[in-house]
Amino acid sequence: MGLFDKVVKTASNVGTSVAKSASNVGSSASVAAQEQSELLALKSQINVIEQELNASYVQIGRKYVEYVLTSGEMPGIDVSDILKLIDPKLTKKQELEQKIIELEKEIKSKHVLRDKQQAEEKYLAEKSKLDKALAMDIITQEEYDEKLALAKKQVDNFEAIRKIEQQAEMGLITKEEKAAKLQQLML
């Protein structure tokens, strides 16, 4: 009965882990969608401000051309009234651009945390599978320790692995270099 109890306990742990993962995926998707809609709204506001600024720039150009045509001279003209209207818009645009940068940083940070959580869940699932195989005498303790250590290295080296993958995506390193670096981390 001891072996059967271990198998039942391991199966129960795997089931619980899968249920938690499914719940986390659902909530992560809704949070990501909300963040993306907020980012889109900020970019839309910047677009509206840019259109208003462009209209102001056109007004300045018209005033200048009208002045040149009527006077025949090319000196400066007074556009301070338009500049007063432009200033708050430029300030608002800069504020929105800063919010976008902060939001994109936050989104990226949350994405990294979700990826790390997934890596840890993958490790726990692998550990459960190895526990089950060990309990059923399918693998030896030595094989168990070796495979568990490899899975643990993937979690421990998460940041380094992510950076290597980003370097490969950006074309900074070749596929062969990526494979070599990843293999070196797993030693």
Side-chain angles (χ1 to χ4, degrees):
M1 272 299 216
L3 176 63
F4 182 72
D5 290 337
K6 286 183 182 179
V7 171
V8 169
K9 183 179 177 184
T10 303
S12 174
N13 289 343
V14 169
T16 303
S17 176
V18 168
K20 286 180 184 177
S21 296
S23 172
N24 289 341
V25 167
S27 64
S28 295
S30 67
V31 169
Q34 181 181 2
E35 290 169 342
Q36 290 300 324
S37 66
E38 186 178 340
L39 186 61
L40 186 62
L42 290 173
K43 288 183 178 181
S44 176
Q45 288 178 12
I46 286 178
N47 189 24
V48 168
I49 289 172
E50 285 178 346
Q51 290 175 356
E52 291 172 354
L53 288 172
N54 286 336
S56 297
Y57 297 149
V58 168
Q59 287 178 354
I60 291 171
R62 278 195 188 121
K63 277 191 172 185
Y64 186 75
V65 169
E66 287 173 6
Y67 181 80
V68 170
L69 290 176
T70 57
S71 69
E73 298 177 7
M74 291 265 220
I77 57 167
D78 185 26
V79 289
S80 60
D81 58 332
I82 297 172
L83 291 177
K84 286 179 184 175
L85 293 174
I86 290 176
D87 187 44
K89 292 176 185 177
L90 288 173
T91 304
K92 180 70 173 175
K93 181 182 173 190
Q94 289 173 342
E95 290 171 2
L96 291 173
E97 287 172 340
Q98 187 61 36
K99 282 183 181 179
I100 287 174
I101 290 170
E102 291 171 8
L103 184 59
E104 286 175 340
K105 282 181 184 178
E106 183 180 331
I107 289 170
K108 185 176 180 176
S109 173
K110 287 180 181 180
H111 184 68
V112 168
L113 288 174
R114 281 192 294 263
D115 288 349
K116 187 166 186 160
Q117 182 181 4
Q118 288 175 347
E120 289 172 356
E121 288 173 0
K122 184 178 175 184
Y123 165 76
L124 292 175
E126 183 70 18
K127 184 179 182 324
S128 294
K129 185 171 71 171
L130 290 171
D131 288 343
K132 181 179 177 182
L134 182 64
M136 296 174 67
D137 289 329
I138 295 174
I139 60 173
T140 65
Q141 183 67 41
E142 188 176 293
E143 292 172 316
Y144 171 86
D145 293 340
E146 183 181 310
K147 291 179 185 269
L148 189 61
L150 180 63
K152 182 70 174 158
K153 282 184 182 180
Q154 289 178 337
V155 173
D156 292 343
N157 295 322
F158 173 79
E159 287 294 323
I161 291 170
R162 189 177 65 80
K163 286 180 182 179
I164 291 169
E165 289 174 349
Q166 287 177 335
Q167 289 172 357
E169 288 174 6
M170 293 177 71
L172 300 174
I173 59 174
T174 64
K175 289 181 181 180
E176 293 80 20
E177 289 173 315
K178 174 186 171 186
K181 286 184 175 189
L182 289 175
Q183 185 177 6
Q184 188 174 12
L185 280 175
M186 294 303 146
L187 294 177

